[in-house]
Amino acid sequence: DTGVSQDPRHKITKRGQNVTFRCDPISEHNRLYWYRQTLGQGPEFLTYFQNEAQLEKSRLLSDRFSAERPKGSFSTLEIQRTEQGDSAMYLCASSPQGGGTEAFFGQGTRLTVV
Amino acid sequence: GENVEQHPSTLSVQEGDSAVIKCTYSDSASNYFPWYKQELGKRPQLIIDIRSNVGEKKDQRIAVTLNKTAKHFSLHITETQPEDSAVYFCAASRNNAGNMLTFGGGTRLMVKP
C-alpha cells in the first residue's frame, strides 16, 4: 500500500498518560500535516512539516503536544499528560511541494482518554 | 485566520435528485478549494478541487463553482446514488502558506433509494 499509513489505528489510554502516534507519508511527499477531528466536526489543522522542518503550529497545539519528523520521512505526534478533551481522531496527511496540490489522508488514529 | 462556513449540516435527497452544498470563506488570499468525502470510519478522500483562477470545474456527476468576489463556493452532485451518502467537507487554503487546509463543519448527505 503506497498511501499514508498511521499507527496505531485505535488507542485507549488513562488520563495523565503519554501517548505517541506514528505517520508514514507517501514516500515522495515532502509535506506532512497533522489534523485533529472530533465527532461531527471537520478536521482542524494542528501542525505542518516541510521535510524535517516544522513550519507551522496551530494555537490548538498546547505545550503538551509535540511533533517531530526527524529525517523528513515518518512523523510522530506525542501527547503528554493526556486529558479527556484530547479524545479525538488524529489524522495525518501528506502532499507534494507546490501550491494547490491534493493532500492525501491516512486512516487516522482514534484516541480515547478514559 | 481563515474561517470556512458550510451549509447545510444535513441534506436528505431522493435517489436521482441533485444535491447542492455551499461554503463561504473569509480570507480573500485563499486560492485553493478542495472538497473531501468521508464515509463512516474512513479517511477523507478528495473528490474534486478548484483553484481561484477557475470559476467552474466538472467531473462526471460532480461540479464545483467558485465566486471569488462573494467568497463562496459550492458542490453540485447530480443524479445522486445511495453510494453518495457520506459526510462532505469543503476546505480552503493559500498556496503560499504551506497549503494548510481550513475545513468547513461538514454536510451529512443521505440519499434515499
Side-chain angles (χ1 to χ4, degrees):
Chain A
D1 185 358
T2 56
V4 178
S5 63
Q6 293 187 243
D7 182 72
R9 293 287 308 279
H10 304 274
K11 178 71 178 178
I12 300 174
T13 190
K14 291 184 178 179
R15 191 171 47 191
Q17 297 293 305
N18 300 344
V19 294
T20 300
F21 311 142
R22 178 181 169 121
C23 171
D24 286 89
I26 293 172
S27 59
E28 60 268 28
H29 288 180
N30 57 4
R31 288 182 171 181
L32 186 148
Y33 311 83
W34 286 98
Y35 290 85
R36 180 170 66 189
Q37 185 176 27
T38 53
L39 202 61
Q41 302 296 319
E44 295 174 297
F45 169 75
L46 293 179
T47 190
Y48 149 62
F49 290 85
Q50 182 155 307
N51 300 312
E52 66 277 7
Q54 188 174 18
L55 297 186
E56 192 77 28
K57 288 172 64 172
S58 164
R59 284 169 290 181
L60 291 174
L61 213 65
S62 77
D63 56 8
R64 297 185 297 106
F65 288 70
S66 62
E68 293 182 341
R69 195 184 182 195
K71 296 182 180 178
S73 56
F74 74 91
S75 175
T76 57
L77 177 68
E78 181 183 17
I79 309 174
Q80 295 182 324
R81 305 180 304 280
T82 51
E83 302 173 355
Q84 286 190 322
D86 297 331
S87 296
M89 176 74 84
Y90 289 84
L91 292 164
C92 176
S94 71
S95 72
Q97 189 164 347
T101 55
E102 178 180 356
F104 293 82
F105 281 85
Q107 296 271 36
T109 295
R110 179 167 296 284
L111 173 66
T112 303
V113 181
V114 297
Chain B
E2 175 68 281
N3 182 52
V4 177
E5 300 283 341
Q6 184 171 347
H7 299 280
S9 56
T10 59
L11 179 60
S12 181
V13 300
Q14 207 65 38
E15 182 177 0
D17 288 350
S18 295
V20 180
I21 303 170
K22 299 182 179 182
C23 289
T24 59
Y25 62 98
S26 61
D27 186 352
S28 57
S30 289
N31 51 14
Y32 175 64
F33 306 93
W35 286 87
Y36 282 83
K37 176 183 180 182
Q38 188 174 30
E39 298 178 33
L40 191 63
K42 296 193 175 180
R43 72 186 79 195
Q45 291 194 297
L46 183 78
I47 56 171
I48 195 167
D49 56 13
I50 192 167
R51 290 161 179 79
S52 59
N53 59 346
V54 175
E56 184 174 357
K57 184 177 178 181
K58 190 173 181 181
D59 183 3
Q60 299 182 341
R61 296 186 297 108
I62 295 172
V64 57
T65 58
L66 171 65
N67 183 326
K68 284 192 298 181
T69 303
K71 290 191 280 189
H72 65 70
F73 56 113
S74 300
L75 177 71
H76 305 251
I77 306 173
T78 58
E79 300 171 23
T80 53
Q81 301 166 2
E83 52 265 37
D84 294 330
S85 297
V87 180
Y88 292 81
F89 293 100
C90 62
S93 72
R94 291 184 284 131
N95 285 357
N96 62 353
N99 221 35
M100 290 91 70
L101 296 168
T102 300
F103 284 85
T107 296
R108 180 172 298 280
L109 175 65
M110 294 170 283
V111 180
K112 299 177 184 175

